[in-house]
Amino acid sequence: MRVVLCTCPPDKASELAERLVGERLAACVNVVPGLTSVYWWEGKVQKGGESLLILKTPALRVEALKARLLQLHPYSVPEFLAFEVAERHGPYADWVRREANAP
């Protein structure tokens, strides 16, 4: 199982989450609104409002999820950070696999 983090514009967060869950690339996406991101971009420090997507998917679906997220995302360089889940509740992991159509 993997947890993926991705920031996005607040006005696109629900749409991205619904598409990725609807296409069964993630079993669940939490949308965390109200982030302020400070980062380097185009040679200077930028600051802006974003939402954070926390996506749960089986390891076997990470590459498909990444490809689709990068296709749908409005940023030219979207964040995509996938973390292996070391500890998990078995029934929850089974649910994630089932809902994201993983064997």
Side-chain angles (χ1 to χ4, degrees):
M1 189 170 140
R2 300 291 185 268
V3 171
V4 174
L5 302 181
C6 179
T7 52
C8 64
D11 64 335
K12 298 293 184 187
S14 280
E15 177 186 345
L16 285 170
E18 289 174 22
R19 293 280 301 267
L20 296 167
V21 170
E23 293 176 19
R24 299 185 89 86
L25 294 168
C28 175
V29 179
N30 302 110
V31 178
V32 183
L35 298 179
T36 300
S37 294
V38 179
Y39 53 95
W40 276 101
W41 185 250
E42 298 180 342
K44 61 183 180 177
V45 175
Q46 306 279 338
K47 180 178 176 180
E50 293 186 300
S51 290
L52 175 65
L53 304 180
I54 305 171
L55 306 98
K56 276 73 75 171
T57 195
L60 293 173
R61 299 294 278 160
V62 169
E63 287 306 314
L65 171 63
K66 179 180 178 183
R68 187 65 170 137
L69 181 59
L70 296 179
Q71 183 180 51
L72 295 171
H73 205 288
Y75 293 169
S76 60
V77 183
E79 174 182 24
F80 186 92
L81 303 172
F83 300 90
E84 183 175 358
V85 177
E87 296 291 328
R88 59 195 158 268
H89 179 55
Y92 182 80
D94 292 342
W95 173 81
V96 168
R97 273 192 299 280
R98 189 171 54 252
E99 297 307 322
N101 285 330

